[in-house]
Amino acid sequence: MKVNTPTTTALYSIEQAIKAYRRLCNKNISKIIEDITVDQALILIILNDNSSLTQMQIGDLVFKDYASITRILNLMEKKGYINKGINNKDKRRSLLEITTKGKETLTILSPTIQLNRNTALKNITEDELNQLYTILNKITNNCNQ
Amino acid sequence: MKVNTPTTTALYSIEQAIKAYRRLCNKNISKIIEDITVDQALILIILNDNSSLTQMQIGDLVFKDYASITRILNLMEKKGYINKGINNKDKRRSLLEITTKGKETLTILSPTIQLNRNTALKNITEDELNQLYTILNKITNNCNQ
DNA sequence: TACATTTATTTGATATATCAAATAAATGAA
DNA sequence: TTCATTTATTTGATATATCAAATAAATGTA
């Protein structure tokens, strides 16, 4: 395969890393809580830390299409992790809040989420993390021009 | 949002970068060829450069589940980009080959694929690419332990 | 050879990704 | 106020992701 130039391997390795990380997260999370996905857990964290976010804001935070957010939130409501009402100040918007079950789930998952991050970043220095962050941001900006 | 430690931002930025890159690729590719996706184009490149790969090998190369490979290849065959026969040496395996249409498509797409890579990596030095590659590989290995 | 095990691919079920179009509420301008 | 435009969310259609289970061919072993 002719994919061994720095250009191609770098982009290739991004895909590889994120998939390995997601697999790890999914595996460890589903060991603890059966019916929640990594994406749903992340949204739960966001809803727990921030009040009165719109679905669009959530989508922007997690880099997901608004259509995906609609569907993910519907599933999360069906499973009792969140409540979805209507914002009376602006009836186009929904009013999202985490339920008690959602908060409890976060408490239970919290060590696993931390473990996943630590596992992924084992033996990587803070310097390297900053480099990584800087370079990836350049790529993101380049792509979003 | 409390996601501003180096640990979290780094992992977060991987997701962000790969999504931005995929969006860019999809947008530019679909401008040229209507009915092909980035994933399909990548598999086409691989099939063009390598003969007699199994579906599992392709899956390993592009970090995809074998079930996904089955479905993607079926779509690609339906659209005439590849032929899928049976390997008579081992009848469990399929015999994959790129069609003339597939090769022509690659020729047409080749400049766009190169442009996408160059766009994404504009103003990033080879040193940085190597750093990126090294760090991401560490993450991948950490996750796959 | 006969049977258990392994390997390659497929299928089913469910979740997410993406684009386009639809819906409905809010806003701006005449 | 009225109508066009913008904004937030939803829906439809199709592609991909993921796990588990099914299928069928190949291989190993008694």
Side-chain angles (χ1 to χ4, degrees), chain B residues 8-40:
Chain B
T8 46
T9 46
L11 288 167
Y12 199 68
S13 61
I14 300 178
E15 187 95 27
Q16 187 175 28
I18 198 64
K19 290 207 173 166
Y21 180 56
R22 291 181 68 85
R23 252 189 274 268
L24 173 75
C25 290
N26 267 316
K27 197 180 63 187
N28 288 336
I29 285 182
S30 65
K31 263 189 240 162
I32 312 285
I33 307 271
E34 269 286 308
D35 72 344
I36 203 166
T37 67
V38 186
D39 299 289
Q40 294 174 10

Side-chain angles (χ1 to χ4, degrees), chain B residues 31-89:
Chain B
K31 263 189 240 162
I32 312 285
I33 307 271
E34 269 286 308
D35 72 344
I36 203 166
T37 67
V38 186
D39 299 289
Q40 294 174 10
L42 179 55
I43 290 176
L44 218 46
I45 293 173
I46 290 174
L47 283 177
N48 195 45
D49 292 348
N50 304 67
S51 56
S52 64
L53 285 177
T54 66
Q55 296 188 190
M56 291 177 74
Q57 287 171 321
I58 294 174
D60 292 338
L61 282 171
V62 298
F63 317 118
K64 283 183 195 301
D65 193 85
Y66 307 138
S68 294
I69 297 295
T70 294
R71 285 160 180 138
I72 293 173
L73 291 176
N74 285 345
L75 286 172
M76 291 175 73
E77 186 180 36
K78 202 173 292 174
K79 291 186 278 193
Y81 292 118
I82 62 166
N83 282 323
K84 200 173 167 181
I86 292 174
N87 183 330
N88 279 315
K89 298 257 161 61

Side-chain angles (χ1 to χ4, degrees), chain A residues 1-3 6-24 27 39 42 45-46 49-50 60-65 114 116-145, chain B residues 1-3 6-24 27 39 42 45-46 49-50 60-65 114 116-145:
Chain A
M1 232 184 111
K2 295 182 240 153
V3 287
T7 303
T8 46
T9 46
L11 289 168
Y12 198 68
S13 61
I14 300 178
E15 186 94 29
Q16 186 176 29
I18 198 65
K19 290 208 174 167
Y21 180 56
R22 290 181 68 84
R23 251 188 275 269
L24 173 74
K27 198 180 63 186
D39 299 288
L42 179 56
I45 292 173
I46 290 175
D49 293 347
N50 305 66
D60 293 337
L61 282 171
V62 299
F63 319 118
K64 284 184 195 300
D65 194 85
Q114 202 50 59
N116 287 339
R117 289 174 181 163
N118 293 341
T119 301
L121 301 178
K122 200 171 55 184
N123 296 324
I124 297 181
T125 66
E126 189 152 337
D127 254 16
E128 286 177 313
L129 286 184
N130 286 327
Q131 286 171 15
L132 177 64
Y133 180 68
T134 304
I135 301 170
L136 288 174
N137 262 17
K138 275 197 196 177
I139 294 178
T140 302
N141 288 330
N142 285 339
C143 293
N144 287 337
Q145 297 279 313
Chain B
M1 234 185 111
K2 296 182 239 152
V3 285
T7 303
T8 46
T9 46
L11 288 167
Y12 199 68
S13 61
I14 300 178
E15 187 95 27
Q16 187 175 28
I18 198 64
K19 290 207 173 166
Y21 180 56
R22 291 181 68 85
R23 252 189 274 268
L24 173 75
K27 197 180 63 187
D39 299 289
L42 179 55
I45 293 173
I46 290 174
D49 292 348
N50 304 67
D60 292 338
L61 282 171
V62 298
F63 317 118
K64 283 183 195 301
D65 193 85
Q114 201 51 57
N116 287 338
R117 288 173 182 164
N118 293 342
T119 302
L121 300 178
K122 199 171 56 185
N123 296 324
I124 297 180
T125 66
E126 188 152 337
D127 253 18
E128 287 177 313
L129 287 184
N130 286 327
Q131 286 171 15
L132 177 64
Y133 181 69
T134 304
I135 301 170
L136 289 174
N137 262 18
K138 273 197 197 176
I139 294 177
T140 302
N141 288 330
N142 285 339
C143 293
N144 288 337
Q145 297 279 313

